[in-house]
Amino acid sequence: MTYLQSSYIETNLNFLNKNTLLFDLDGTLVDSVPDLAFAVNQSLVELGLAPFSQDVIRGWVGNGADILIQRALSGNAKISTDLDNTLKERALALFYQVYESHSCIETRLYPNVLETLTALKERGYSLAIITNKPERFIAPIINGLALNGLFELIIGGDTLAKRKPDPLPLNYACQQLSTNVEQCVMIGDSKNDILAAKAANMESIALTYGYNYGENIANYQPELVIDDFADLLSTLI
């Protein structure tokens, strides 16, 4: 069921006067967990550690590769405070090595994503990606899933000095696309997306199907929560 914040009903009907849409990638546009889980488990096995199920790793995704690996080494979403730095560095290097050649093998678009993005582009919206995924892993997914040419700007987790939930990537996108926060909407699946939008004083739309660590995304009070990516077409005019 779609969740609407009361202030949205009163003042933000259909997100009027927007010209730029900022999208998260993992958990919003694509389900990348199968490939991420493969790379995580290959790294753990190489280190002589036990692998985890894909469902368990799914709950650790959303804060970038470094945090993902630390959670895997901890065996928990809560990172251990006594992780060995050398082990962390070795595990992350192994992860990057595997993921470099396995970033778009089983990764898939969520339903209605390509059609909806294409329609939004045709309506004249500027589209951008703001993700915490390292920049070098983004292009293989964009190319592999035929999203080429849709986005005017792509910002990875290591593109700038700070990443979501910091507002820097959102503000930077506004500057690069010659727009302002009032004309933008941040669209994502996790609290990092919503918190970044709030920190930038930008409106946000949350999706219920992504990676939000088992929390209800509505708890972070985006302006709108939707279940289907295609609902953006009736929301954005």
Side-chain angles (χ1 to χ4, degrees):
M1 179 177 294
T2 298
Y3 163 90
L4 296 175
Q5 188 178 357
S6 60
S7 61
Y8 166 81
I9 297 173
E10 295 168 2
T11 63
N12 294 312
L13 183 62
N14 288 322
F15 291 88
L16 297 173
N17 303 316
K18 306 300 181 183
N19 60 26
T20 303
L21 307 177
L22 311 178
F23 294 93
D24 177 50
L25 181 62
D26 301 75
T28 298
L29 304 181
V30 305
D31 182 6
S32 54
V33 166
D35 288 329
L36 289 169
F38 177 85
V40 166
N41 281 332
Q42 288 292 105
S43 305
L44 292 174
V45 170
E46 182 70 21
L47 293 168
L49 301 172
F52 295 92
S53 71
Q54 189 177 117
D55 284 342
V56 168
I57 294 174
R58 182 175 292 274
W60 299 340
V61 172
N63 291 100
D66 184 52
I67 298 299
L68 174 59
I69 284 298
Q70 290 185 57
R71 286 170 172 162
L73 292 174
S74 304
N76 197 290
K78 184 177 181 179
I79 296 171
S80 299
T81 58
D82 59 351
L83 288 180
D84 180 74
N85 286 331
T86 301
L87 178 63
K88 288 192 292 186
E89 292 172 4
R90 175 63 176 153
L92 186 61
L94 287 168
F95 171 83
Y96 283 149
Q97 181 180 341
V98 175
Y99 195 58
E100 195 89 53
S101 60
H102 208 281
S103 61
C104 197
I105 305 300
E106 296 180 74
T107 293
R108 296 290 181 267
L109 291 171
Y110 284 110
N112 303 315
V113 166
L114 180 57
E115 301 86 345
T116 301
L117 289 174
T118 300
L120 291 169
K121 184 78 170 179
E122 290 173 350
R123 290 184 186 182
Y125 286 102
S126 295
L127 310 182
I129 287 177
I130 301 181
T131 173
N132 283 344
K133 182 186 289 294
E135 190 173 332
R136 71 180 185 271
F137 298 123
I138 303 171
I141 293 175
I142 297 300
N143 296 334
L145 298 178
L147 296 176
N148 317 63
L150 288 171
F151 302 100
E152 296 184 31
L153 180 67
I154 294 176
I155 300 174
D158 53 359
T159 303
L160 303 170
K162 296 180 180 179
R163 61 188 181 185
K164 299 176 299 183
D166 193 275
L168 176 63
L170 283 64
N171 291 326
Y172 178 80
C174 290
Q175 295 168 2
Q176 293 298 303
L177 297 172
S178 300
T179 187
N180 57 60
V181 295
E182 291 80 13
Q183 295 175 301
C184 297
V185 182
M186 180 70 217
I187 301 163
D189 65 294
S190 84
K191 62 183 180 182
N192 289 328
D193 303 309
I194 310 309
L195 292 173
K198 289 188 177 300
N201 294 314
M202 183 182 296
E203 291 184 323
S204 61
I205 297 174
L207 293 149
T208 58
Y209 54 70
Y211 319 144
N212 195 41
Y213 327 109
E215 295 183 84
N216 185 345
I217 193 65
N219 293 342
Y220 292 88
Q221 298 184 328
E223 276 64 45
L224 176 66
V225 177
I226 58 176
D227 302 317
D228 187 327
F229 197 83
D231 290 342
L232 290 172
L233 294 175
S234 58
T235 300
L236 299 162
I237 62 173

